[in-house]
C-alpha cells in the first residue's frame, strides 16, 4: 500500500500571526514538503492544479519536474489534473516528458475541478464539465496507446495522423487515477477503462464514500477487469497531530475555523465526528485511518492533506516526521496483515511494464502455439 502527501497549494494567512506567505514562499514550501516526504519514507507526493487565487500550483509538471531532479524514489503525482480545461494533447505530451525525466516515477489524477470561473478562462463551459471529462480522456487514452491517431469530437479541432511526442516511457503510459468527490459518472469512467478511482475523502461522511467506491468496484468487475476486490482505489484524508490530543485540538482550531475549503461551517468537533478529518494523537490517526477499510474495502493508496489553512512550514514538516516515524509504519503493517490474498498492490511503472511484457509474451506464445497446431494439422492432411 502506498502512503503519501497531497497539497492543494493554498496561500492562506496564518490566523495566529496574521502573516500571509508570499507565492514564492508557498511554492518553495511545497517543494520542501515533497523532499521531506521522501526523507521519512513516504511513497507519494501529489500537487493540485489551480488557476485562481488563493492557490499557486498552476503548473504541476513544472513543480514535479523540479522535485524529480531532487528525489530518487518518490512517486510524483497530481491531486488534480484538470481534464476539462486542459487540452488532452498537451496533457499527453507534458506527462510523458515528465515520465522520462523522472524515470517512470509518475502517475496522475484526473479531475473536473470545482471552481466555476476557471472554465471560461480556458474557453470552456462548466455546464459541459462531465462531457468534457469523458471526451477529453477518451482522446488522452488513445494518444498514449496509439502511435498515430485520427480523431474527431465535439470540443476541440480534429486530429489527422497525429503522433504525441515523446511516446510514453517503455511504451507504458502513466497510471491514471480518476478523482471525484461526488460524481458517479467519474467512478463509471474509471471503471470502464480499468483505471484507478481516488475519492478525496476529506469532506463527506463514510456512507457517501462507501457508495462511490462500491459503484466503482461493481462497474470495474462489470467491464471485465477483475473482481470488485481487485479494483484500484485511493483515498484522501486530513490529519493534524500532537503527542497530546488536547494540544492538537487547541493548536489546530484557529486554522480549521478559517480554512478556505471547510472553514466558517460546522465546528471542529462536528467535522471530525462526521468526516475522516482526524485531529489528535498519532495513535488516534492510526485508529481512524484503519476504519477507512471498513467502508472502502482493501485499497491501494492513502494520501494525507497536512499543509492546508495557513499552517507554517515548520509545523507541517513536524507532521510529516510524525507520519513517517509513528503513523505510517504501523498502518503499513496493519493494512498488510488484514489484506486478503488476491488484492493487488498499487500500480507502479515497473509493475505495469512487467505486466505488459507478460501479456506480450503470452500473446506471442499463443500465436506460436497456433502456428504449430496448424503445421501439425497440415501434416495430418498431407499424410492422409
Amino acid at each position: 500500500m502506498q502512503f503519501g502527501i497531497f497539497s492543494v497549494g493554498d496561500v492562506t494567512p496564518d490566523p495566529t500571526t496574521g502573516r500571509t506567505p508570499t507565492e514564492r514562499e508557498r511554492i518553495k514550501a511545497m517543494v520542501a514538503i515533497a523532499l521531506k516526504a521522501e526523507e521519512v519514507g513516504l511513497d507519494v507526493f501529489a500537487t493540485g492544479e489551480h488557476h485562481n487565487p488563493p492557490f499557486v500550483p498552476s503548473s504541476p509538471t513544472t513543480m514535479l519536474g523540479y522535485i524529480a531532479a531532487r528525489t530518487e524514489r518518490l512517486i510524483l503525482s497530481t491531486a488534480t489534473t484538470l481534464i476539462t480545461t486542459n487540452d488532452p494533447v498537451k496533457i499527453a505530451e507534458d506527462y510523458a516528458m515528465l515520465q522520462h525525466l523522472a524515470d517512470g516515477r509518475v502517475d496522475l489524477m484526473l479531475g473536473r475541478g470545482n471552481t466555476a470561473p476557471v472554465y471560461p478562462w480556458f474557453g470552456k463551459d462548466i455546464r459541459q464539465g462531465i462531457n468534457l471529462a469523458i471526451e477529453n480522456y477518451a482522446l488522452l487514452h488513445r494518444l498514449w496507446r496509439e502511435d498515430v491517431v485520427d480523431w474527431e469530437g465535439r470540443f476541440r479541432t480534429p486530429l489527422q495522423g497525429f503522433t504525441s511526442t515523446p511516446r510514453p516511457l517503455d511504451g507504458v503510459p502513466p497510471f491514471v487515477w480518476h478523482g471525484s468527490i461526488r460524481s458517479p459518472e467519474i467512478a463509471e469512467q474509471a471503471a470502464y477503462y480499468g483505471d484507478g478511482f481516488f475519492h478525496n475523502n476529506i469532506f463527506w461522511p463514510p456512507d457517501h464514500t462507501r457508495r462511490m467506491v462500491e459503484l466503482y468496484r461493481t462497474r470495474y468487475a462489470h467491464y471485465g477487469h477483475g473482481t470488485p476486490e481487485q479494483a484500484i482505489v485511493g483515498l484522501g484524508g486530513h490529519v493534524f497531530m500532537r503527542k497530546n490530543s488536547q494540544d492538537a485540538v487547541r493548536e489546530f482550531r484557529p486554522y480549521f475555523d478559517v480554512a478556505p475549503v471547510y472553514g466558517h461551517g460546522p465546528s471542529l468537533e462536528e467535522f471530525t465526528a462526521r468526516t475522516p478529518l482526524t485531529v489528535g494523537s498519532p495513535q488516534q490517526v492510526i485508529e481512524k485511518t484503519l476504519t477507512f477499510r471498513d467502508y472502502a474495502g482493501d485499497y491501494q493508496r492513502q494520501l494525507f492533506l497536512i499543509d492546508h489553512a495557513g499552517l507554517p512550514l515548520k509545523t507541517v514538516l513536524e507532521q510529516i516526521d510524525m507520519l513517517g516515524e509513528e503513523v505510517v509504519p504501523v498502518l503499513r503493517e496493519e493494512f498488510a496483515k488484514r489484506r486478503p490474498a488476491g488484492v493487488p498492490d498499487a500500480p507502479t511503472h515497473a509493475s505495469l511494464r512487467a505486466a505488459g511484457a507478460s501479456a506480450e509474451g503470452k500473446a506471442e506464445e499463443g500465436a506460436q502455439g497456433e502456428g504449430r497446431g496448424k503445421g501439425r494439422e497440415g501434416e495430418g492432411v498431407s499424410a492422409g
Side-chain angles (χ1 to χ4, degrees):
M1 186 166 173
Q2 295 173 346
F3 293 89
I5 302 296
F6 75 101
S7 175
V8 296
D10 60 305
V11 181
T12 304
D14 183 332
T16 66
T17 65
R19 185 180 184 279
T20 303
T22 66
E23 290 180 325
R24 180 182 185 278
E25 287 172 334
R26 189 66 174 98
I27 291 167
K28 292 288 189 178
M30 291 176 68
V31 173
I33 289 165
L35 300 183
K36 188 68 168 180
E38 173 158 287
E39 177 189 320
V40 304
L42 301 186
D43 305 302
V44 184
F45 173 78
T47 173
E49 178 186 348
H50 299 278
H51 299 274
N52 56 292
F55 303 98
V56 293
S58 59
S59 181
T61 51
T62 304
M63 172 170 284
L64 295 178
Y66 182 77
I67 294 170
R70 301 186 61 186
T71 55
E72 297 179 355
R73 187 187 55 80
L74 197 65
I75 296 171
L76 308 171
S77 189
T78 56
T80 303
T81 296
L82 298 177
I83 189 63
T84 47
T85 52
N86 281 305
D87 183 351
V89 171
K90 196 66 170 74
I91 295 176
E93 294 175 339
D94 283 351
Y95 285 91
M97 176 68 79
L98 178 60
Q99 195 188 29
H100 283 270
L101 291 171
D103 297 323
R105 295 183 289 124
V106 173
D107 58 35
L108 69 160
M109 187 193 308
L110 300 180
R112 291 188 298 129
N114 57 10
T115 307
V118 173
Y119 282 78
W121 294 345
F122 291 89
K124 307 300 181 183
D125 183 346
I126 192 172
R127 293 171 294 182
Q128 296 294 335
I130 291 291
N131 293 329
L132 281 162
I134 292 170
E135 180 176 297
N136 283 353
Y137 183 61
L139 174 56
L140 175 61
H141 192 268
R142 289 186 58 191
L143 289 169
W144 275 337
R145 289 164 176 81
E146 300 176 27
D147 289 339
V148 181
V149 173
D150 294 318
W151 179 89
E152 185 172 351
R154 293 174 55 193
F155 299 112
R156 78 173 315 281
T157 54
L159 298 173
Q160 294 183 341
F162 179 77
T163 299
S164 173
T165 59
R167 304 303 298 144
L169 177 65
D170 301 322
V172 178
F175 185 74
V176 169
W177 304 82
H178 298 257
S180 180
I181 299 173
R182 58 185 178 273
S183 301
E185 297 92 340
I186 302 305
E188 174 77 13
Q189 184 182 41
Y192 176 81
Y193 288 101
D195 295 335
F197 178 68
F198 190 93
H199 193 275
N200 181 284
N201 204 40
I202 62 173
F203 300 112
W204 293 75
D207 282 348
H208 173 79
T209 303
R210 177 187 288 110
R211 289 193 297 271
M212 291 290 287
V213 173
E214 284 182 352
L215 170 63
Y216 161 67
R217 290 188 184 278
T218 300
R219 300 301 289 171
Y220 180 95
H222 168 80
Y223 288 116
H225 301 298
T227 66
E229 294 75 23
Q230 291 172 323
I232 307 299
V233 174
L235 295 179
H238 190 180
V239 301
F240 185 85
M241 296 173 285
R242 288 302 183 203
K243 183 177 180 180
N244 182 290
S245 60
Q246 288 81 10
D247 291 339
V249 170
R250 182 173 58 254
E251 184 176 349
F252 187 67
R253 188 182 301 279
Y255 295 96
F256 173 89
D257 288 344
V258 301
V261 298
Y262 49 52
H264 313 289
S267 70
L268 175 59
E269 287 74 16
E270 291 172 316
F271 209 87
T272 52
R274 298 176 185 175
T275 77
L277 173 66
T278 313
V279 180
S281 67
Q283 183 59 36
Q284 286 175 306
V285 170
I286 291 168
E287 292 171 359
K288 191 162 186 178
T289 303
L290 287 173
T291 69
F292 295 175
R293 180 179 176 273
D294 297 340
Y295 53 86
D298 290 280
Y299 61 109
Q300 283 74 22
R301 176 174 284 187
Q302 175 65 57
L303 299 184
F304 294 105
L305 175 65
I306 58 168
D307 68 332
H308 181 53
L311 284 167
L313 178 60
K314 178 178 179 294
T315 300
V316 174
L317 298 180
E318 291 168 352
Q319 298 293 303
I320 298 175
D321 275 329
M322 283 186 277
L323 279 176
E325 295 169 7
E326 302 180 55
V327 174
V328 167
V330 178
L331 290 177
R332 285 194 200 279
E333 182 179 348
E334 289 299 320
F335 275 117
K337 188 187 305 180
R338 305 175 191 196
R339 192 181 194 87
V343 174
D345 293 329
T348 63
H349 182 77
S351 69
L352 294 172
R353 183 178 59 194
S358 176
E360 288 178 9
K362 289 179 181 178
E364 183 177 341
E365 182 179 332
Q368 290 174 349
E370 183 179 348
R372 288 193 297 270
K374 288 181 179 179
R376 287 193 295 271
E377 181 182 345
E379 289 170 3
V381 170
S382 181

